[in-house]
Amino acid sequence: MATMFDDRAMGRNTGFAKRVSSHLAAALVVFCLLQIFIVAKMGGSLVLHLGIIVAIAGFAIAARGLERRWQMLERGGLSQSGLRVRFRRDLLQLWGASILGALLWIPVAIIFRTLFG
């Protein structure tokens, strides 16, 4: 709380960390729903559903790391243009990872079905 008031007193914009947190929450929801939908459509077994839990836990841990990174970046004193460039790059990577990561279940489910029926 004190850091927030110090940042406002120094005239810094504190919006990037909050915006990243909002995108992280939305990306996690999309990641979860895509995984569940894909595994359900592919005839998922209990093992694949347990894999979803592990994947979601890994995503959540990585998301917390990204959130901490943005909290540190905002305190680092970078210019707004430098923060904007990093913000766009991180959002592109975040959404790419959440969508493509969920789509990786398609080949896994196909291989699993081929091997174990």
Side-chain angles (χ1 to χ4, degrees):
M1 191 68 145
T3 314
M4 181 177 72
F5 291 121
D6 290 341
D7 286 346
R8 284 186 185 164
M10 297 177 90
R12 292 185 186 160
N13 185 1
T14 60
F16 286 109
K18 287 183 181 183
R19 289 170 57 192
V20 165
S21 292
S22 297
H23 279 279
L24 282 169
L28 182 59
V29 169
V30 168
F31 182 71
C32 294
L33 290 176
L34 278 174
Q35 283 189 359
I36 292 168
F37 177 75
I38 289 169
V39 169
K41 286 293 181 184
M42 299 297 288
S45 68
L46 180 62
V47 174
L48 291 177
H49 283 88
L50 291 175
I52 289 174
I53 293 169
V54 171
I56 291 170
F59 189 94
I61 291 169
R64 183 61 188 138
L66 185 62
E67 226 173 11
R68 285 185 183 148
R69 176 178 182 265
W70 272 96
Q71 289 169 355
M72 290 187 331
L73 278 174
E74 280 194 334
R75 289 185 217 130
L78 290 173
S79 67
Q80 289 296 312
S81 62
L83 286 173
R84 265 188 238 108
V85 169
R86 285 172 176 79
F87 180 75
R88 286 188 204 116
R89 184 193 63 213
D90 283 355
L91 284 187
L92 182 65
Q93 291 174 349
L94 169 67
W95 284 103
S98 67
I99 293 170
L100 292 175
L103 294 178
L104 287 176
W105 281 107
I106 295 172
V108 169
I110 290 170
I111 292 169
F112 188 82
R113 187 187 301 171
T114 304
L115 292 176
F116 302 109

